[in-house]
Amino acid sequence: MSYRLFYWLTVLIPTIIIGGFEFVRHDFLLPYMSMETGNVYITLMTLVLSYLFATWMFRTIKQMNARIVEEQARRAVYEERERLARELHDGIAQSLFFLNVKLKQGHLDEARVAVSAIDNHVRQAIFNLRSLPEEGSFDQRLEKWLTQWSALSGVDVVWDLRVKESFFTPAEEVQLFGIIQEAFANIRKHAQAKHSWIRLTTGEPRSWQLVIEDDGVGIARTKPDTKKYGLSMMRERARQLNAAIDIQKRADGGTIIRLTAHAGGFSQ
């Protein structure tokens, strides 16, 4: 049902029913119904009619909006799938080229590393492509992904996810998931870590914080923006989430990534 039809129903239904009653009352019911009684009836009729019509109309609008939100969620996931497909294609193409070079040079150990990287990349991408918003809440899907990532990488993961239901929009979930995946991909590739931690908490009215840590070699302070750590991508996603991002070495060794967003929103 279109909004144009709602418009004409809102205009015509009260006019026809109330106007029709007034016409019948004045032409046929005056000998049987006093003016005061008629006024009471028309007031009650207007109240009942307004209540029934408004209830039906807003219920229908709510259902329409729910369908729109569902379509937006699916569109956000499909857009992320297209991005993943491009990244998967580019990553595998580069890895296969590297693998071909190392095989020709006879460097079998480095070739095995390339094969392992391709395998991990493909497995993580396949998980992402299979995940849909209706397959549980955001934190449930994230826990599932972290469990699989830990099994593939051999790095222990401890998580603390306290996310209110429907706190993030589907588009925000895509961006946040991308940041988390990039951070953990860097831990697997570069950190040489044995343990990692992730904490995601939400507050009121629209404040949240994401903290990811590892006990690896740590990020080099002299090159904080090196592409090795995928910072450019994470900073861009943080900007789209209106969040500040801070990446530095941990006091006990390793790296800590912290994203913070407040109600007003800010980015860096």
Side-chain angles (χ1 to χ4, degrees):
M1 188 175 293
S2 66
Y3 287 105
R4 183 178 180 84
L5 180 58
F6 275 125
Y7 172 82
W8 285 112
L9 289 177
T10 304
V11 171
L12 295 177
I13 289 180
T15 302
I16 293 173
I17 295 180
I18 297 175
F21 176 79
E22 285 293 287
F23 176 79
V24 171
R25 179 166 72 110
H26 285 85
D27 283 10
F28 302 104
L29 300 180
L30 280 180
Y32 312 102
M33 182 184 301
S34 66
M35 187 64 69
E36 290 77 10
T37 303
N39 290 338
V40 172
Y41 283 162
I42 193 63
T43 301
L44 293 175
M45 180 181 293
T46 303
L47 175 63
V48 173
L49 175 64
S50 299
Y51 173 77
L52 294 176
F53 181 75
T55 301
W56 169 78
M57 183 175 66
F58 282 101
R59 182 186 297 117
T60 304
I61 292 176
K62 184 177 180 181
Q63 293 173 349
M64 292 172 62
N65 288 338
R67 287 195 294 269
I68 292 174
V69 170
E70 182 179 357
E71 289 300 320
Q72 289 176 339
R74 290 181 179 276
R75 180 178 300 177
V77 172
Y78 294 147
E79 289 176 354
E80 179 67 2
R81 285 181 171 183
E82 291 181 2
R83 185 194 66 80
L84 283 170
R86 290 194 298 269
E87 290 185 359
L88 187 59
H89 174 269
D90 295 341
I92 289 180
Q94 294 176 3
S95 297
L96 288 175
F97 176 79
F98 175 80
L99 175 62
N100 184 49
V101 171
K102 293 304 176 183
L103 286 175
K104 288 182 178 180
Q105 295 175 347
H107 298 165
L108 297 182
D109 290 338
E110 295 184 16
R112 292 191 188 96
V113 172
V115 172
S116 177
I118 293 174
D119 179 66
N120 288 332
H121 197 143
V122 171
R123 287 177 181 273
Q124 292 183 23
I126 289 174
F127 174 85
N128 244 10
L129 293 171
R130 286 176 175 174
S131 297
L132 294 173
E134 55 265 32
E135 296 177 352
S137 62
F138 176 66
D139 53 332
Q140 291 173 336
R141 287 183 283 124
L142 184 54
E143 288 179 5
K144 182 179 178 182
W145 182 86
L146 290 169
T147 301
Q148 188 176 77
W149 179 89
S150 179
L152 289 171
S153 65
V155 180
D156 180 58
V157 183
V158 177
W159 59 75
D160 180 13
L161 308 176
R162 287 172 283 176
V163 182
K164 296 181 180 178
E165 186 175 357
S166 302
F167 182 87
F168 296 106
T169 65
E172 289 172 339
E173 289 182 1
V174 169
Q175 297 295 343
L176 196 57
F177 214 148
I179 291 174
I180 294 171
Q181 288 177 310
E182 179 63 25
F184 277 91
N186 289 334
I187 292 175
R188 176 178 56 82
K189 294 176 183 178
H190 311 297
Q192 302 175 27
K194 295 183 178 179
H195 302 88
S196 59
W197 301 264
I198 176 173
R199 183 173 70 255
L200 177 60
T201 56
T202 57
E204 293 293 346
R206 287 286 299 161
S207 301
W208 57 270
Q209 185 177 68
L210 170 67
V211 180
I212 300 174
E213 302 181 55
D214 67 76
D215 61 355
V217 296
I219 188 171
R221 293 182 180 273
T222 56
K223 297 181 179 180
D225 292 320
T226 177
K227 291 183 180 180
K228 178 180 177 182
Y229 292 91
L231 295 190
S232 58
M233 186 281 290
M234 287 194 286
R235 290 187 186 279
E236 174 59 23
R237 289 185 181 273
R239 185 188 65 79
Q240 295 183 30
L241 288 168
N242 291 324
I245 181 171
D246 179 44
I247 304 176
Q248 56 185 279
K249 282 190 174 182
R250 292 174 70 239
D252 298 332
T255 304
I256 178 169
I257 302 174
R258 181 180 289 105
L259 276 82
T260 307
H262 296 298
F266 59 90
S267 60
Q268 119 177 355

